[in-house]
Amino acid sequence: MAKRIQFSQHGGPNVLEWVDVEPGDPTDFEVQVENKAIGINYIDTYVRSGLYPSASLPSGLGTEAAGKVVKVGAAVSHFKPGDRVVYAQAPIGAYSEIHNVPQDRLAHLPDAISFEQGAASFLKGLTVHYLLRQTYHVAPGEAFLFHAAAGGVGLIACQWAKALGAHLIGTVGSAEKAAIAQRAGAWATINYREENIAERLSALTDGKKVRVVYDSVGKDTWEASLDCLQPRGLMVSFGNASGPVTGIDLAQLNKKGSLYVTRPSLFGYITNRAELELASNELFSMIASGAIKIDVAEKQKFALRDAQQAHIALENRTTQGSSLLIP
């Protein structure tokens, strides 16, 4: 028997349940992983609440963790028991002591990177990789806007941008979070609670604005994000922390300068093992070199059974950087 978090109805953090489960053997192309650290991501709250539909109820939760291989399916060729592994695109159910994962969704975790670092950085780091290196290729010296710069994805983006020599302008909700983002490598910050985002960004760029905006906040920042773009600029909407953007007026994109909008996801950029290995190798190289540092505050490490408290902290925006569940 093993323990896992599941929910039987959609709703707030209180719907999360701590239950026993009997792990099935891995199928031919699956690997059974004993999770050592589990990543918490904002998308998990969308699944729990019903904003993103789950396949059926009761349902597990989570797609990211790091751990050790305990069993492999008959047709698995890339992994063996005892291997250190990390994953971010597993079938839902990573909030568990044991999880079966398709081998093409797993990556080998280098010895130099701890289980906690792996689980805290993999989904977020792969996300930053596709945002800065594929959706739009950020250039050295280029200024761009990145919302929620002190969040888990944002802090990795700050560090990656600094390594690229790019100028990340990050939005934050407090002076404390501004300091954290700047220590991580943000070129400048905008406190959205005290400053007008578009006006402050215009001042920071001498009125030039930016060619790309990365927005995981959604509804609350949509208009401001568009107002920060140069003509023919690109709006990258990759999250809905404040609620989904609905009722988009295409004529508005024309009026604001023939703007482009895209709604990417990790699954659109990592579709096979080759793409996973390319992105993960670049991420691991950045971590191993020290260009990206992954540190999780002790107060943001929650016992797996305390997933409710972890979700409350995440949704109240009291966390900074990554948070973890520890089995």
Side-chain angles (χ1 to χ4, degrees), residues 48-70:
R48 186 210 71 223
S49 70
L51 178 62
Y52 288 1
S54 52
S56 61
L57 296 175
S59 172
L61 193 60
T63 62
E64 176 186 38
K68 281 191 175 183
V69 174
V70 291

mmCIF file with all atom_site columns, all heavy atoms in Angstrom, residues 48-70:
data_model
loop_
_atom_site.group_PDB
_atom_site.id
_atom_site.type_symbol
_atom_site.label_atom_id
_atom_site.label_alt_id
_atom_site.label_comp_id
_atom_site.label_asym_id
_atom_site.label_entity_id
_atom_site.label_seq_id
_atom_site.pdbx_PDB_ins_code
_atom_site.Cartn_x
_atom_site.Cartn_y
_atom_site.Cartn_z
_atom_site.occupancy
_atom_site.B_iso_or_equiv
_atom_site.pdbx_formal_charge
_atom_site.auth_seq_id
_atom_site.auth_comp_id
_atom_site.auth_asym_id
_atom_site.auth_atom_id
_atom_site.pdbx_PDB_model_num
ATOM 1   N N   . ARG A 1 48 ? -7.659  21.015 -9.548  1.00 0.00 ? 48 ARG A N   1
ATOM 2   C CA  . ARG A 1 48 ? -8.441  20.785 -8.326  1.00 0.00 ? 48 ARG A CA  1
ATOM 3   C C   . ARG A 1 48 ? -9.766  21.552 -8.334  1.00 0.00 ? 48 ARG A C   1
ATOM 4   O O   . ARG A 1 48 ? -10.810 21.036 -7.944  1.00 0.00 ? 48 ARG A O   1
ATOM 5   C CB  . ARG A 1 48 ? -7.601  21.215 -7.113  1.00 0.00 ? 48 ARG A CB  1
ATOM 6   C CG  . ARG A 1 48 ? -8.201  20.919 -5.754  1.00 0.00 ? 48 ARG A CG  1
ATOM 7   C CD  . ARG A 1 48 ? -7.739  21.941 -4.732  1.00 0.00 ? 48 ARG A CD  1
ATOM 8   N NE  . ARG A 1 48 ? -8.342  23.243 -4.958  1.00 0.00 ? 48 ARG A NE  1
ATOM 9   C CZ  . ARG A 1 48 ? -7.694  24.411 -4.885  1.00 0.00 ? 48 ARG A CZ  1
ATOM 10  N NH1 . ARG A 1 48 ? -6.407  24.454 -4.598  1.00 0.00 ? 48 ARG A NH1 1
ATOM 11  N NH2 . ARG A 1 48 ? -8.340  25.544 -5.107  1.00 0.00 ? 48 ARG A NH2 1
ATOM 12  N N   . SER A 1 49 ? -9.718  22.803 -8.818  1.00 0.00 ? 49 SER A N   1
ATOM 13  C CA  . SER A 1 49 ? -10.918 23.652 -8.790  1.00 0.00 ? 49 SER A CA  1
ATOM 14  C C   . SER A 1 49 ? -11.910 23.324 -9.895  1.00 0.00 ? 49 SER A C   1
ATOM 15  O O   . SER A 1 49 ? -13.080 23.689 -9.813  1.00 0.00 ? 49 SER A O   1
ATOM 16  C CB  . SER A 1 49 ? -10.517 25.125 -8.913  1.00 0.00 ? 49 SER A CB  1
ATOM 17  O OG  . SER A 1 49 ? -10.023 25.400 -10.225 1.00 0.00 ? 49 SER A OG  1
ATOM 18  N N   . GLY A 1 50 ? -11.431 22.639 -10.957 1.00 0.00 ? 50 GLY A N   1
ATOM 19  C CA  . GLY A 1 50 ? -12.287 22.335 -12.093 1.00 0.00 ? 50 GLY A CA  1
ATOM 20  C C   . GLY A 1 50 ? -12.109 23.276 -13.257 1.00 0.00 ? 50 GLY A C   1
ATOM 21  O O   . GLY A 1 50 ? -12.742 23.095 -14.306 1.00 0.00 ? 50 GLY A O   1
ATOM 22  N N   . LEU A 1 51 ? -11.238 24.307 -13.115 1.00 0.00 ? 51 LEU A N   1
ATOM 23  C CA  . LEU A 1 51 ? -10.960 25.194 -14.242 1.00 0.00 ? 51 LEU A CA  1
ATOM 24  C C   . LEU A 1 51 ? -10.385 24.396 -15.404 1.00 0.00 ? 51 LEU A C   1
ATOM 25  O O   . LEU A 1 51 ? -10.740 24.610 -16.564 1.00 0.00 ? 51 LEU A O   1
ATOM 26  C CB  . LEU A 1 51 ? -9.983  26.299 -13.827 1.00 0.00 ? 51 LEU A CB  1
ATOM 27  C CG  . LEU A 1 51 ? -9.563  27.286 -14.917 1.00 0.00 ? 51 LEU A CG  1
ATOM 28  C CD1 . LEU A 1 51 ? -10.770 28.062 -15.448 1.00 0.00 ? 51 LEU A CD1 1
ATOM 29  C CD2 . LEU A 1 51 ? -8.500  28.252 -14.406 1.00 0.00 ? 51 LEU A CD2 1
ATOM 30  N N   . TYR A 1 52 ? -9.479  23.472 -15.091 1.00 0.00 ? 52 TYR A N   1
ATOM 31  C CA  . TYR A 1 52 ? -8.988  22.513 -16.070 1.00 0.00 ? 52 TYR A CA  1
ATOM 32  C C   . TYR A 1 52 ? -9.602  21.158 -15.713 1.00 0.00 ? 52 TYR A C   1
ATOM 33  O O   . TYR A 1 52 ? -9.413  20.677 -14.595 1.00 0.00 ? 52 TYR A O   1
ATOM 34  C CB  . TYR A 1 52 ? -7.465  22.401 -16.026 1.00 0.00 ? 52 TYR A CB  1
ATOM 35  C CG  . TYR A 1 52 ? -6.711  23.586 -16.585 1.00 0.00 ? 52 TYR A CG  1
ATOM 36  C CD1 . TYR A 1 52 ? -7.369  24.709 -17.079 1.00 0.00 ? 52 TYR A CD1 1
ATOM 37  C CD2 . TYR A 1 52 ? -5.324  23.578 -16.616 1.00 0.00 ? 52 TYR A CD2 1
ATOM 38  C CE1 . TYR A 1 52 ? -6.676  25.791 -17.577 1.00 0.00 ? 52 TYR A CE1 1
ATOM 39  C CE2 . TYR A 1 52 ? -4.610  24.656 -17.124 1.00 0.00 ? 52 TYR A CE2 1
ATOM 40  C CZ  . TYR A 1 52 ? -5.289  25.765 -17.599 1.00 0.00 ? 52 TYR A CZ  1
ATOM 41  O OH  . TYR A 1 52 ? -4.588  26.829 -18.091 1.00 0.00 ? 52 TYR A OH  1
ATOM 42  N N   . PRO A 1 53 ? -10.347 20.536 -16.611 1.00 0.00 ? 53 PRO A N   1
ATOM 43  C CA  . PRO A 1 53 ? -11.056 19.310 -16.262 1.00 0.00 ? 53 PRO A CA  1
ATOM 44  C C   . PRO A 1 53 ? -10.113 18.138 -16.021 1.00 0.00 ? 53 PRO A C   1
ATOM 45  O O   . PRO A 1 53 ? -9.097  17.981 -16.703 1.00 0.00 ? 53 PRO A O   1
ATOM 46  C CB  . PRO A 1 53 ? -11.943 19.057 -17.489 1.00 0.00 ? 53 PRO A CB  1
ATOM 47  C CG  . PRO A 1 53 ? -11.244 19.754 -18.617 1.00 0.00 ? 53 PRO A CG  1
ATOM 48  C CD  . PRO A 1 53 ? -10.604 20.965 -18.005 1.00 0.00 ? 53 PRO A CD  1
ATOM 49  N N   . SER A 1 54 ? -10.423 17.316 -15.037 1.00 0.00 ? 54 SER A N   1
ATOM 50  C CA  . SER A 1 54 ? -9.707  16.065 -14.815 1.00 0.00 ? 54 SER A CA  1
ATOM 51  C C   . SER A 1 54 ? -10.492 14.949 -15.502 1.00 0.00 ? 54 SER A C   1
ATOM 52  O O   . SER A 1 54 ? -11.689 15.071 -15.762 1.00 0.00 ? 54 SER A O   1
ATOM 53  C CB  . SER A 1 54 ? -9.553  15.789 -13.327 1.00 0.00 ? 54 SER A CB  1
ATOM 54  O OG  . SER A 1 54 ? -10.801 15.872 -12.678 1.00 0.00 ? 54 SER A OG  1
ATOM 55  N N   . ALA A 1 55 ? -9.807  13.850 -15.790 1.00 0.00 ? 55 ALA A N   1
ATOM 56  C CA  . ALA A 1 55 ? -10.425 12.789 -16.580 1.00 0.00 ? 55 ALA A CA  1
ATOM 57  C C   . ALA A 1 55 ? -11.632 12.179 -15.876 1.00 0.00 ? 55 ALA A C   1
ATOM 58  O O   . ALA A 1 55 ? -12.677 11.963 -16.475 1.00 0.00 ? 55 ALA A O   1
ATOM 59  C CB  . ALA A 1 55 ? -9.381  11.717 -16.887 1.00 0.00 ? 55 ALA A CB  1
ATOM 60  N N   . SER A 1 56 ? -11.495 11.890 -14.595 1.00 0.00 ? 56 SER A N   1
ATOM 61  C CA  . SER A 1 56 ? -12.596 11.284 -13.844 1.00 0.00 ? 56 SER A CA  1
ATOM 62  C C   . SER A 1 56 ? -12.360 11.520 -12.364 1.00 0.00 ? 56 SER A C   1
ATOM 63  O O   . SER A 1 56 ? -11.259 11.879 -11.939 1.00 0.00 ? 56 SER A O   1
ATOM 64  C CB  . SER A 1 56 ? -12.680 9.783  -14.135 1.00 0.00 ? 56 SER A CB  1
ATOM 65  O OG  . SER A 1 56 ? -11.482 9.132  -13.731 1.00 0.00 ? 56 SER A OG  1
ATOM 66  N N   . LEU A 1 57 ? -13.390 11.323 -11.573 1.00 0.00 ? 57 LEU A N   1
ATOM 67  C CA  . LEU A 1 57 ? -13.310 11.482 -10.120 1.00 0.00 ? 57 LEU A CA  1
ATOM 68  C C   . LEU A 1 57 ? -13.630 10.156 -9.441  1.00 0.00 ? 57 LEU A C   1
ATOM 69  O O   . LEU A 1 57 ? -14.492 9.421  -9.914  1.00 0.00 ? 57 LEU A O   1
ATOM 70  C CB  . LEU A 1 57 ? -14.292 12.571 -9.660  1.00 0.00 ? 57 LEU A CB  1
ATOM 71  C CG  . LEU A 1 57 ? -14.021 13.982 -10.174 1.00 0.00 ? 57 LEU A CG  1
ATOM 72  C CD1 . LEU A 1 57 ? -15.138 14.928 -9.731  1.00 0.00 ? 57 LEU A CD1 1
ATOM 73  C CD2 . LEU A 1 57 ? -12.665 14.501 -9.703  1.00 0.00 ? 57 LEU A CD2 1
ATOM 74  N N   . PRO A 1 58 ? -12.951 9.815  -8.338  1.00 0.00 ? 58 PRO A N   1
ATOM 75  C CA  . PRO A 1 58 ? -11.880 10.595 -7.704  1.00 0.00 ? 58 PRO A CA  1
ATOM 76  C C   . PRO A 1 58 ? -10.627 10.637 -8.577  1.00 0.00 ? 58 PRO A C   1
ATOM 77  O O   . PRO A 1 58 ? -10.386 9.741  -9.379  1.00 0.00 ? 58 PRO A O   1
ATOM 78  C CB  . PRO A 1 58 ? -11.633 9.841  -6.401  1.00 0.00 ? 58 PRO A CB  1
ATOM 79  C CG  . PRO A 1 58 ? -12.041 8.438  -6.699  1.00 0.00 ? 58 PRO A CG  1
ATOM 80  C CD  . PRO A 1 58 ? -13.209 8.549  -7.625  1.00 0.00 ? 58 PRO A CD  1
ATOM 81  N N   . SER A 1 59 ? -9.843  11.696 -8.392  1.00 0.00 ? 59 SER A N   1
ATOM 82  C CA  . SER A 1 59 ? -8.658  11.911 -9.205  1.00 0.00 ? 59 SER A CA  1
ATOM 83  C C   . SER A 1 59 ? -7.460  12.216 -8.327  1.00 0.00 ? 59 SER A C   1
ATOM 84  O O   . SER A 1 59 ? -7.582  12.856 -7.280  1.00 0.00 ? 59 SER A O   1
ATOM 85  C CB  . SER A 1 59 ? -8.892  13.100 -10.157 1.00 0.00 ? 59 SER A CB  1
ATOM 86  O OG  . SER A 1 59 ? -7.699  13.457 -10.829 1.00 0.00 ? 59 SER A OG  1
ATOM 87  N N   . GLY A 1 60 ? -6.306  11.759 -8.753  1.00 0.00 ? 60 GLY A N   1
ATOM 88  C CA  . GLY A 1 60 ? -5.060  12.205 -8.155  1.00 0.00 ? 60 GLY A CA  1
ATOM 89  C C   . GLY A 1 60 ? -4.752  13.608 -8.612  1.00 0.00 ? 60 GLY A C   1
ATOM 90  O O   . GLY A 1 60 ? -5.553  14.253 -9.298  1.00 0.00 ? 60 GLY A O   1
ATOM 91  N N   . LEU A 1 61 ? -3.568  14.100 -8.268  1.00 0.00 ? 61 LEU A N   1
ATOM 92  C CA  . LEU A 1 61 ? -3.207  15.473 -8.594  1.00 0.00 ? 61 LEU A CA  1
ATOM 93  C C   . LEU A 1 61 ? -1.697  15.551 -8.787  1.00 0.00 ? 61 LEU A C   1
ATOM 94  O O   . LEU A 1 61 ? -0.939  14.790 -8.200  1.00 0.00 ? 61 LEU A O   1
ATOM 95  C CB  . LEU A 1 61 ? -3.644  16.409 -7.466  1.00 0.00 ? 61 LEU A CB  1
ATOM 96  C CG  . LEU A 1 61 ? -3.632  17.912 -7.742  1.00 0.00 ? 61 LEU A CG  1
ATOM 97  C CD1 . LEU A 1 61 ? -4.556  18.275 -8.900  1.00 0.00 ? 61 LEU A CD1 1
ATOM 98  C CD2 . LEU A 1 61 ? -4.069  18.679 -6.486  1.00 0.00 ? 61 LEU A CD2 1
ATOM 99  N N   . GLY A 1 62 ? -1.276  16.508 -9.603  1.00 0.00 ? 62 GLY A N   1
ATOM 100 C CA  . GLY A 1 62 ? 0.146   16.758 -9.780  1.00 0.00 ? 62 GLY A CA  1
ATOM 101 C C   . GLY A 1 62 ? 0.761   15.959 -10.915 1.00 0.00 ? 62 GLY A C   1
ATOM 102 O O   . GLY A 1 62 ? 0.342   14.834 -11.211 1.00 0.00 ? 62 GLY A O   1
ATOM 103 N N   . THR A 1 63 ? 1.766   16.557 -11.554 1.00 0.00 ? 63 THR A N   1
ATOM 104 C CA  . THR A 1 63 ? 2.435   15.910 -12.688 1.00 0.00 ? 63 THR A CA  1
ATOM 105 C C   . THR A 1 63 ? 3.959   15.905 -12.552 1.00 0.00 ? 63 THR A C   1
ATOM 106 O O   . THR A 1 63 ? 4.633   15.401 -13.448 1.00 0.00 ? 63 THR A O   1
ATOM 107 C CB  . THR A 1 63 ? 2.096   16.646 -14.004 1.00 0.00 ? 63 THR A CB  1
ATOM 108 O OG1 . THR A 1 63 ? 2.575   17.996 -13.941 1.00 0.00 ? 63 THR A OG1 1
ATOM 109 C CG2 . THR A 1 63 ? 0.593   16.648 -14.271 1.00 0.00 ? 63 THR A CG2 1
ATOM 110 N N   . GLU A 1 64 ? 4.499   16.445 -11.443 1.00 0.00 ? 64 GLU A N   1
ATOM 111 C CA  . GLU A 1 64 ? 5.946   16.659 -11.345 1.00 0.00 ? 64 GLU A CA  1
ATOM 112 C C   . GLU A 1 64 ? 6.506   16.086 -10.055 1.00 0.00 ? 64 GLU A C   1
ATOM 113 O O   . GLU A 1 64 ? 5.955   16.316 -8.969  1.00 0.00 ? 64 GLU A O   1
ATOM 114 C CB  . GLU A 1 64 ? 6.243   18.157 -11.393 1.00 0.00 ? 64 GLU A CB  1
ATOM 115 C CG  . GLU A 1 64 ? 7.714   18.510 -11.203 1.00 0.00 ? 64 GLU A CG  1
ATOM 116 C CD  . GLU A 1 64 ? 7.939   20.013 -11.124 1.00 0.00 ? 64 GLU A CD  1
ATOM 117 O OE1 . GLU A 1 64 ? 7.099   20.711 -10.523 1.00 0.00 ? 64 GLU A OE1 1
ATOM 118 O OE2 . GLU A 1 64 ? 8.954   20.480 -11.660 1.00 0.00 ? 64 GLU A OE2 1
ATOM 119 N N   . ALA A 1 65 ? 7.616   15.357 -10.161 1.00 0.00 ? 65 ALA A N   1
ATOM 120 C CA  . ALA A 1 65 ? 8.300   14.855 -8.968  1.00 0.00 ? 65 ALA A CA  1
ATOM 121 C C   . ALA A 1 65 ? 9.678   14.350 -9.364  1.00 0.00 ? 65 ALA A C   1
ATOM 122 O O   . ALA A 1 65 ? 10.001  14.200 -10.544 1.00 0.00 ? 65 ALA A O   1
ATOM 123 C CB  . ALA A 1 65 ? 7.492   13.741 -8.297  1.00 0.00 ? 65 ALA A CB  1
ATOM 124 N N   . ALA A 1 66 ? 10.474  14.061 -8.351  1.00 0.00 ? 66 ALA A N   1
ATOM 125 C CA  . ALA A 1 66 ? 11.778  13.433 -8.534  1.00 0.00 ? 66 ALA A CA  1
ATOM 126 C C   . ALA A 1 66 ? 11.880  12.281 -7.549  1.00 0.00 ? 66 ALA A C   1
ATOM 127 O O   . ALA A 1 66 ? 11.347  12.348 -6.437  1.00 0.00 ? 66 ALA A O   1
ATOM 128 C CB  . ALA A 1 66 ? 12.905  14.439 -8.300  1.00 0.00 ? 66 ALA A CB  1
ATOM 129 N N   . GLY A 1 67 ? 12.562  11.214 -7.955  1.00 0.00 ? 67 GLY A N   1
ATOM 130 C CA  . GLY A 1 67 ? 12.681  10.070 -7.076  1.00 0.00 ? 67 GLY A CA  1
ATOM 131 C C   . GLY A 1 67 ? 13.548  8.989  -7.670  1.00 0.00 ? 67 GLY A C   1
ATOM 132 O O   . GLY A 1 67 ? 14.373  9.246  -8.551  1.00 0.00 ? 67 GLY A O   1
ATOM 133 N N   . LYS A 1 68 ? 13.341  7.762  -7.179  1.00 0.00 ? 68 LYS A N   1
ATOM 134 C CA  . LYS A 1 68 ? 14.125  6.619  -7.633  1.00 0.00 ? 68 LYS A CA  1
ATOM 135 C C   . LYS A 1 68 ? 13.228  5.583  -8.309  1.00 0.00 ? 68 LYS A C   1
ATOM 136 O O   . LYS A 1 68 ? 12.097  5.345  -7.876  1.00 0.00 ? 68 LYS A O   1
ATOM 137 C CB  . LYS A 1 68 ? 14.846  5.967  -6.459  1.00 0.00 ? 68 LYS A CB  1
ATOM 138 C CG  . LYS A 1 68 ? 16.104  6.702  -6.015  1.00 0.00 ? 68 LYS A CG  1
ATOM 139 C CD  . LYS A 1 68 ? 16.919  5.859  -5.037  1.00 0.00 ? 68 LYS A CD  1
ATOM 140 C CE  . LYS A 1 68 ? 18.241  6.552  -4.708  1.00 0.00 ? 68 LYS A CE  1
ATOM 141 N NZ  . LYS A 1 68 ? 19.083  5.715  -3.803  1.00 0.00 ? 68 LYS A NZ  1
ATOM 142 N N   . VAL A 1 69 ? 13.766  4.961  -9.347  1.00 0.00 ? 69 VAL A N   1
ATOM 143 C CA  . VAL A 1 69 ? 13.050  3.896  -10.041 1.00 0.00 ? 69 VAL A CA  1
ATOM 144 C C   . VAL A 1 69 ? 13.025  2.656  -9.155  1.00 0.00 ? 69 VAL A C   1
ATOM 145 O O   . VAL A 1 69 ? 14.053  2.235  -8.612  1.00 0.00 ? 69 VAL A O   1
ATOM 146 C CB  . VAL A 1 69 ? 13.737  3.569  -11.383 1.00 0.00 ? 69 VAL A CB  1
ATOM 147 C CG1 . VAL A 1 69 ? 13.072  2.360  -12.037 1.00 0.00 ? 69 VAL A CG1 1
ATOM 148 C CG2 . VAL A 1 69 ? 13.696  4.772  -12.317 1.00 0.00 ? 69 VAL A CG2 1
ATOM 149 N N   . VAL A 1 70 ? 11.823  2.070  -8.989  1.00 0.00 ? 70 VAL A N   1
ATOM 150 C CA  . VAL A 1 70 ? 11.712  0.832  -8.213  1.00 0.00 ? 70 VAL A CA  1
ATOM 151 C C   . VAL A 1 70 ? 11.331  -0.371 -9.085  1.00 0.00 ? 70 VAL A C   1
ATOM 152 O O   . VAL A 1 70 ? 11.700  -1.501 -8.776  1.00 0.00 ? 70 VAL A O   1
ATOM 153 C CB  . VAL A 1 70 ? 10.712  0.977  -7.042  1.00 0.00 ? 70 VAL A CB  1
ATOM 154 C CG1 . VAL A 1 70 ? 11.260  1.921  -5.996  1.00 0.00 ? 70 VAL A CG1 1
ATOM 155 C CG2 . VAL A 1 70 ? 9.356   1.465  -7.525  1.00 0.00 ? 70 VAL A CG2 1
#
